[in-house]
Amino acid sequence: MTEPAFPRVRPRRLRATPALRRATAEARLHPAQLTLPLFVGEGLTEPKPISSMPGVVQHSLDSLRAEIGRAAEAGIGGVMLFGIPEHKDAEGSGATDPDGILNVATRLAVAEAGDALVVQTDLCLDEFTDHGHCGVLDAEGRVDNDASLERYRDMAIAQAESGSQMLGLSAMMDGQVAAARGALDAAGRDDVALLAYTAKYASAFYGPFREAVQSSLQGDRRTYQLDPANRREGLRETLLDVEEGADIVMVKPAMSYLDVLADTAAASPVPVWAYQVSGEYAMIEAAAANGWIDRERAILESLVGLRRAGAEGLLTYWAIEVADWLRGRPSASGVLPVGAY
């Protein structure tokens, strides 16, 4: 009997055709896994482009209504709302004002979306404070963790009363999940879910976001956001947030923290999401605009990579566009991107 020719194992068989590659793919994208971050500017009468994020805008209330309709039609999982007020103060009082931009936008989004989308809201003071930090400051100008928690208890109630179905706790204050959960439960709002930005790093990739929300930040956030050098600490934060009652945990940024994302996915008993942040978006758009990379393929590869690392949900500014590709609609170039499945 003749021995089989070398090599005996041929993994390439499963890469031979597009159909075989689709059938054996280990990570897949689906529109329901995608959440679209949306910025809403107080006092705007029309959308305001964000120069560092081509294709992304600060919405007016009217354009927000239209974008919610597009998101629902695309079949994505949800939207995450960020409010940009006209006036800021040291306490971030606009965050808890029922007539503040975020709470007004939330009511509009909930009414427009119905049951088609999960309307989520950013629970952080940074857009509302005149110093730009994610908490209130003490007499020496330091972020006061426990005083900030009091503001977050009130903010959680205000967002829940506006109709938010999921609160995105992004401040990285110690005890923020327990504080919000306790306040909500005491108010009879145990129906509202908590998405904990559990491993949020002090990253350079937030740069375009600062323009998007017209940040007033003085200094930096290194005393509360995680050091980019620390992997184990990210997992520690995850386990603390789960213990405090987080319904979902999230890693932010995404592409530079795939190790943290994989660690979190392996250890977490609750769903794990990842936020593909503004800098990640801007880099791909800029490289594509210069003809250096294939835009559509790079977008899909970046998202599939997050899924492969363990993310079950993805916040991405391309949510609607990618959902359209996944449903068989051509890209802007007129071609369905290779690998869209």
Side-chain angles (χ1 to χ4, degrees):
M1 182 174 179
T2 305
E3 287 291 320
F6 178 85
R8 298 180 64 180
V9 178
R10 296 183 180 273
R12 285 185 56 192
R13 290 191 190 103
L14 298 184
R15 305 172 205 150
T17 69
L20 272 169
R21 292 192 294 271
R22 285 195 301 271
T24 57
E26 297 175 32
R28 300 181 186 277
L29 294 173
H30 189 279
Q33 297 163 343
L34 308 177
T35 292
L36 176 67
L38 292 171
F39 304 106
V40 190
E42 187 171 25
L44 294 181
T45 57
E46 59 185 20
K48 178 181 177 182
I50 299 166
S51 63
S52 55
M53 300 177 69
V56 179
V57 302
Q58 286 183 9
H59 284 283
S60 67
L61 291 175
D62 285 340
S63 70
L64 173 65
R65 182 179 288 107
E67 192 73 347
I68 294 294
R70 289 183 63 226
E73 182 182 0
I76 68 172
V79 294
M80 173 66 77
L81 303 180
F82 297 85
I84 301 103
E86 290 183 298
H87 305 288
K88 305 179 181 184
D89 58 37
E91 299 294 315
S93 59
T96 48
D97 181 352
D99 295 321
I101 183 58
L102 181 54
N103 295 319
V104 170
T106 302
R107 292 193 291 272
L108 182 154
V110 169
E112 189 68 26
D115 293 330
L117 300 167
V118 179
V119 175
Q120 308 158 45
T121 45
D122 179 55
L123 198 153
C124 192
L125 288 171
D126 64 319
E127 291 103 76
F128 299 92
T129 55
D130 54 12
H131 47 74
H133 277 288
C134 299
V136 296
L137 305 183
D138 63 16
E140 297 182 11
R142 300 171 302 190
V143 175
D144 187 327
N145 191 96
D146 295 0
S148 299
L149 294 183
E150 290 302 318
R151 293 291 295 128
Y152 285 126
R153 290 183 178 96
D154 293 341
M155 197 172 176
I157 298 301
Q159 292 187 0
E161 290 179 348
S162 296
S164 179
Q165 298 158 288
M166 184 182 295
L167 312 184
L169 309 181
S170 63
M172 289 300 291
M173 295 295 112
D174 293 343
Q176 65 182 10
V177 175
R181 184 75 273 158
L184 290 166
D185 290 355
R189 296 308 308 269
D190 58 1
D191 58 315
V192 177
L194 298 183
L195 165 62
Y197 288 52
T198 191
K200 182 178 180 181
Y201 284 82
S203 174
F205 292 107
Y206 302 146
F209 181 91
R210 304 273 164 84
E211 178 194 351
V213 298
Q214 298 173 199
S215 175
S216 306
L217 181 63
Q218 301 166 20
D220 59 47
R221 295 172 177 155
R222 294 181 182 272
T223 65
Y224 45 100
Q225 293 179 353
L226 292 171
D227 188 325
N230 293 354
R231 175 177 181 174
R232 185 169 55 239
E233 191 178 18
L235 182 57
R236 183 187 186 203
E237 289 279 2
T238 295
L239 298 177
L240 286 170
D241 283 353
V242 170
E243 184 179 348
E244 291 182 17
D247 297 290
I248 302 172
V249 293
M250 186 158 68
V251 175
K252 179 183 180 183
M255 189 181 293
S256 297
Y257 296 89
L258 295 181
D259 56 338
V260 178
L261 178 56
D263 291 346
T264 302
S268 175
V270 301
V272 176
W273 289 8
Y275 196 143
Q276 186 180 58
V277 300
S278 59
E280 298 172 69
Y281 174 93
M283 288 192 301
I284 291 176
E285 289 289 352
N290 279 280
W292 298 333
I293 59 174
D294 182 314
R295 178 180 180 273
E296 289 84 0
R297 289 187 64 189
I299 290 170
L300 287 169
E301 184 176 335
S302 70
L303 293 171
V304 168
L306 303 182
R307 290 281 294 120
R308 188 186 66 245
E312 296 155 277
L314 306 169
L315 271 70
T316 175
Y317 299 98
W318 290 301
I320 291 177
E321 187 174 12
V322 169
D324 284 344
W325 296 345
L326 297 174
R327 295 169 64 197
R329 296 181 181 178
S331 68
S333 63
V335 178
L336 187 66
V338 175
Y341 53 82

